[in-house]
Each structure stands twice: as C-alpha cells, then as structure tokens.
Amino acid sequence: MTQTPSHPGFFHVERNDGDFSSRLVADQAFAIGNVIVSLQGLTPGPKRYSSVQISRDDHVELNSDLLFLNHACDPNTFLDVDKRAIVAIKPIAKGDEINFFYPSTEWDMAQPFDCWCGSPKCIKKVQGAKHIPSSTLRQFQLARHIDELLSERDQSS
C-alpha cells in the first residue's frame, strides 16, 4: 500500500521491516540554516513515544510523516519548537536521512531506548535531557525549555 507523503518534494518515509526501522529521507538538498519544514497541524496531547515536547509541560503530536524523524547523536537538523520549524544544522543531500537529537526537546521521555547510532558523540541510552550530564548536552543545540530545566537542575545540585 502506497501512502501519500505529507510533505512531497521535501522528504518521504522509507519504510523498512522491523519495529522502529523506518526513516525520513530528504527529497532535495538542504543547506545549513534552511528551514526544511514549518511545523503545522500540531495537536496538543500527553507525553507519549510519538509526541514532541514544546515547552516545560506541553507536548504535541506532529500528525505527519515527521513521526518518522529519528533520533541521532550527531543530528543534521534541530527541531526549533519556539519557531515551529525543523532547521538544517548540517548540509543534507538528497537521499540523506533527516534526524534530530531527541533530548534537545525532551526532558524525560515516555519510552526510553538504546541508541545504536555509532557516533563518537553517542549517548547510548536515549531517555531525555534530565538523565544526561550538562557537559554532554552542551555539545548540542537545545530548545529553550531544555536549557531552562538544565539550569535549574544544575543550580539545585
């Protein structure tokens, strides 16, 4: 069964066998700083494996192929929740997987998982920024609410 892409010309889902093995693939090249897509049609909801944290307490469902935006410890995009946009932070070629660093938006994830990305920056267990040392997190661009929560955590310890 073929499904209609939610963002034709920008990216598509490459569906693979096995749980959590599909991925989002670029249909065009994106330069650093390019907005890949604006986040629209978001639905507020509870914290779930499929949601994105957009503030200290709020989560949204992306309601599109963006559900297949995988985690990477050496990501090529930043999910800018304040501007409601996905922005390229590295050059992305047509055919590249589009990914982001989940703890950049997630404080404490509903469904943690082991990372197998193989990057030298790999955090091994993806469970949210709350569980990662600040020295590690400072390697990444982080959402404002994650920066604020980190500052509070670090001041109280």
Side-chain angles (χ1 to χ4, degrees):
M1 174 173 97
T2 303
Q3 295 183 338
T4 304
S6 63
H7 296 82
F10 294 93
F11 50 79
H12 68 276
V13 176
E14 182 181 281
R15 297 187 193 299
N16 298 308
D17 293 334
D19 292 340
F20 305 106
S21 61
S22 296
R23 62 193 198 128
L24 208 59
V25 177
D27 287 339
Q28 61 176 280
F30 297 97
I32 294 172
N34 282 165
V35 172
I36 294 171
V37 67
S38 295
L39 301 177
Q40 300 175 348
L42 308 176
T43 304
K47 176 171 68 171
R48 297 175 26 139
Y49 81 92
S50 60
S51 68
V52 172
Q53 188 172 351
I54 59 167
S55 70
R56 289 173 172 264
D57 303 308
D58 298 316
H59 290 78
V60 295
E61 294 291 338
L62 298 173
N63 299 321
S64 69
D65 287 343
L66 292 171
L67 176 64
F68 297 93
L69 185 63
N70 288 330
H71 165 80
C73 293
D74 193 11
N76 56 17
T77 71
F78 173 63
L79 206 158
D80 189 330
V81 295
D82 290 329
K83 294 182 180 174
R84 301 289 195 268
I86 297 177
V87 181
I89 58 174
K90 291 182 177 178
I92 300 171
K94 181 179 180 177
D96 284 353
E97 179 176 8
I98 300 172
N99 49 51
F100 86 108
F101 183 66
Y102 284 9
S104 69
T105 61
E106 308 303 310
W107 182 244
D108 189 27
M109 293 175 57
Q111 189 172 324
F113 60 92
D114 293 327
C115 184
W116 60 84
C117 74
S119 165
K121 295 165 60 171
C122 186
I123 60 172
K124 309 293 185 227
K125 182 80 171 176
V126 183
Q127 52 189 337
K130 175 182 179 179
H131 307 280
I132 303 171
S134 294
S135 58
T136 299
L137 288 169
R138 297 294 172 215
Q139 301 175 71
F140 303 96
Q141 189 170 355
L142 304 172
R144 184 173 37 89
H145 65 275
I146 297 298
D147 272 330
E148 291 168 356
L149 289 163
L150 277 176
S151 293
E152 290 171 16
R153 179 190 74 186
D154 292 350
Q155 287 174 1
S156 68
S157 44

